[in-house]
Amino acid sequence: MEMELDLAPQLPDVSGNPFALEEVMLNLVNNARDALEERRKSGWTGPARIRIDTFLGGEGVLRCVSIRVQDWGAGMSATVLAKAFDPFFTTKSPDAGTGLGLAICKGIVEQSGGRIEMAS
């Protein structure tokens, strides 16, 4: 599995709990890894790559530091995408996940004054 980083230089400082941000990143990267492993099980032989990039987004008072975690897994249906941040929602087997990771990520990001979005 490859990890590709494209981190913008000289981003402004952000306020928040660094341990909570670390938890968000670990959850997102673990979910990306799991998505790639699932796709591999289906016979896919493409690149097993996770990309993380940072950039300054928005304009004016809406200027913000953004972090994007991207994987090349199989993707999600619109139904799964709509429920992805719901507590206890998971597409994994009961022994592989609790369905709390993304709900925790959303809570941490929103408590810090941020926004989290997902696309497939």
Side-chain angles (χ1 to χ4, degrees):
M1 196 159 308
E2 292 178 40
M3 180 72 72
E4 184 180 315
L5 299 174
D6 185 7
L7 307 178
Q10 302 177 1
L11 289 173
D13 290 339
V14 295
S15 61
N17 181 329
F19 301 109
L21 180 57
E22 180 179 7
E23 184 172 358
V24 169
M25 293 305 299
L26 285 172
N27 272 310
L28 295 177
V29 169
N30 283 336
N31 277 339
R33 181 204 61 213
D34 292 349
L36 289 169
E37 287 177 2
E38 276 301 309
R39 191 164 190 198
R40 286 265 183 214
K41 287 179 189 175
S42 70
W44 183 68
T45 58
R49 183 173 72 228
I50 298 170
R51 177 183 169 90
I52 300 173
D53 56 334
T54 60
F55 52 95
L56 195 57
E59 294 183 17
V61 296
L62 299 177
R63 206 93 168 123
C64 62
V65 172
S66 294
I67 303 169
R68 178 173 40 210
V69 178
Q70 184 177 18
D71 66 65
W72 278 256
M76 295 176 279
S77 69
T79 302
V80 170
L81 195 57
K83 296 179 181 182
F85 292 112
D86 291 354
F88 304 109
F89 175 79
T90 183
T91 59
K92 299 175 186 174
S93 64
D95 63 330
T98 61
L100 289 174
L102 291 175
I104 289 170
C105 288
K106 183 178 182 188
I108 290 170
V109 169
E110 289 179 350
Q111 284 177 354
S112 299
R115 183 176 81 225
I116 188 167
E117 299 173 354
M118 188 179 300
S120 180

